[in-house]
Amino acid sequence: MFSQINKWLSFVRFSHTIFALPFALAAMLVAARDNRGWPGWRTFGLILLAMVCARTCAMAFNRIVDRKFDALNPRTANRHLPSGQIGLMSAMILCVLSGAGLVAASYFLNPLCFYLSPIALVAVCFYSLTKRFTDYTHVFLGIALALAPIGAWLAVKGTNVSMLEILQMLTLAASVILWLVGFDIIYALQDYEFDKSHGLRSLVVAWGPKNALAAAFLAHLIMCGVLLAFGVLCRFRIAYLIGWFIIVGCLVLEHWIARRRSLNWINVAFFRLNTVVSAVFLIVTAAEIIFRGGFRLR
């Protein structure tokens, strides 16, 4: 039983949920800051369910539509669908059920989330098709990931959001998009030759690895500025600033690895460092909401 569970978790790369989830939880904390960041167990549980369902649906859809390319790529040939570990019909059922799970969770959150849930599903799945017709596939993935904090914010507040909150929410979403664009370009370096020879598009293919890395650095540079602006808009203080410096350090190290090390180091830059980025952001946001400046209870 445990091997089957592990197989399905590996199929949808469940461990990568850690990229989007901390930003969603941070948005939830800020949206519920009048109650020290806690929206209640019911809302918290539904946000988690919606997040997991949305990402599972998106990843299952990605694996389904990319299965032929995955079979041809030596790096991905051992994935579950090309290798026959999971059947196509089973993957499609998982995709449909997880999509339905997102809609159901949204229904119990509030009407706004429910009405927007089909749009969110289309957005998170659409990314998987973009590499066939646009070089800016990274931007579409960034938008899909940025829906997580927006969704969590709206799950707490519904339509009862002020103009300042909308600005805060969109600023956070913009930082997530820029963050994703930067590290997804780095990740795409692994498949540069394969994508180029099979007609798959990305900024790495269009601009070449050197220029694409420069674009990734620029995206992360702007992201740092936007993330700092988010802290200012939320009136955060010393704890957030400390976290911001740690995030900047992680991003600088990520680009050093991407430029100075072999492709074998890409997973270090992609997974470990970006996990630290999202985790630190959640921790310092929680400190600012629960404590004043990270030190004193409200």
Side-chain angles (χ1 to χ4, degrees):
M1 181 183 68
F2 290 110
S3 63
Q4 287 295 314
I5 293 174
N6 184 64
K7 180 176 72 173
W8 283 101
L9 291 178
S10 176
F11 172 63
V12 297
R13 300 299 290 273
F14 187 79
S15 59
H16 286 191
T17 304
I18 198 169
F19 291 144
L21 185 58
F23 282 93
L25 294 180
M28 178 198 77
L29 289 167
V30 179
R33 69 187 307 170
D34 291 340
N35 194 36
R36 291 187 184 172
W38 183 242
W41 282 108
R42 180 179 181 276
T43 300
F44 175 70
L46 288 171
I47 289 173
L48 284 182
L49 178 62
M51 276 288 304
V52 171
C53 286
R55 195 193 172 283
T56 299
C57 179
M59 185 54 73
F61 184 81
N62 177 270
R63 294 295 189 249
I64 291 168
V65 299
D66 280 356
R67 63 189 186 280
K68 293 182 180 179
F69 291 114
D70 287 344
L72 296 172
N73 189 341
R75 187 178 69 83
T76 58
N78 289 327
R79 284 179 175 171
H80 298 78
L81 284 179
S83 63
Q85 299 175 60
I86 288 177
L88 177 60
M89 184 56 66
S90 298
M92 294 175 69
I93 291 173
L94 175 66
C95 184
V96 172
L97 289 179
S98 55
L102 169 63
V103 175
S106 301
Y107 175 81
F108 288 106
L109 279 166
N110 58 59
L112 179 61
C113 288
F114 176 62
Y115 296 142
L116 293 177
S117 60
I119 299 175
L121 274 178
V122 171
V124 298
C125 291
F126 181 67
Y127 149 74
S128 298
L129 305 175
T130 57
K131 64 183 71 174
R132 293 160 173 80
F133 62 85
T134 178
D135 298 330
Y136 296 93
T137 177
H138 322 282
V139 177
F140 286 94
L141 180 57
I143 293 172
L145 200 71
L147 292 179
I150 292 176
W153 204 303
L154 295 178
V156 175
K157 300 300 292 266
T159 57
N160 188 30
V161 288
S162 65
M163 290 303 298
L164 176 59
E165 286 180 305
I166 292 174
L167 182 59
Q168 292 168 339
M169 181 170 57
L170 294 180
T171 302
L172 179 57
S175 68
V176 171
I177 292 172
L178 291 164
W179 174 56
L180 191 284
V181 167
F183 79 68
D184 193 54
I185 287 175
I186 294 174
Y187 188 70
L189 292 172
Q190 298 176 103
D191 295 324
Y192 169 62
E193 295 294 342
F194 178 84
D195 290 350
K196 187 176 181 180
S197 62
H198 287 81
L200 295 176
R201 302 174 68 173
S202 70
L203 289 180
V204 178
V205 173
W207 296 351
K210 184 177 180 180
N211 290 332
L213 274 176
F217 182 78
L218 179 61
H220 279 161
L221 185 65
I222 299 173
M223 175 255 188
C224 291
V226 175
L227 206 60
L228 187 60
F230 174 74
V232 172
L233 287 170
C234 293
R235 302 185 304 277
F236 290 159
R237 302 195 301 182
I238 186 66
Y240 187 85
L241 188 60
I242 292 172
W244 183 81
F245 277 115
I246 295 173
I247 289 171
V248 171
C250 287
L251 294 177
V252 170
L253 180 57
E254 180 175 346
H255 285 274
W256 184 86
I257 290 174
R259 290 173 180 273
R260 301 294 182 181
R261 299 283 183 157
S262 67
L263 289 180
N264 294 331
W265 283 76
I266 290 295
N267 282 328
V268 176
F270 174 74
F271 188 77
R272 296 180 186 175
L273 288 174
N274 286 298
T275 298
V276 173
V277 167
S278 57
V280 167
F281 179 76
L282 174 59
I283 291 169
V284 297
T285 300
E288 290 284 357
I289 296 299
I290 299 171
F291 303 92
R292 188 175 296 278
F295 297 103
R296 190 174 60 188
L297 270 174
R298 289 182 180 276

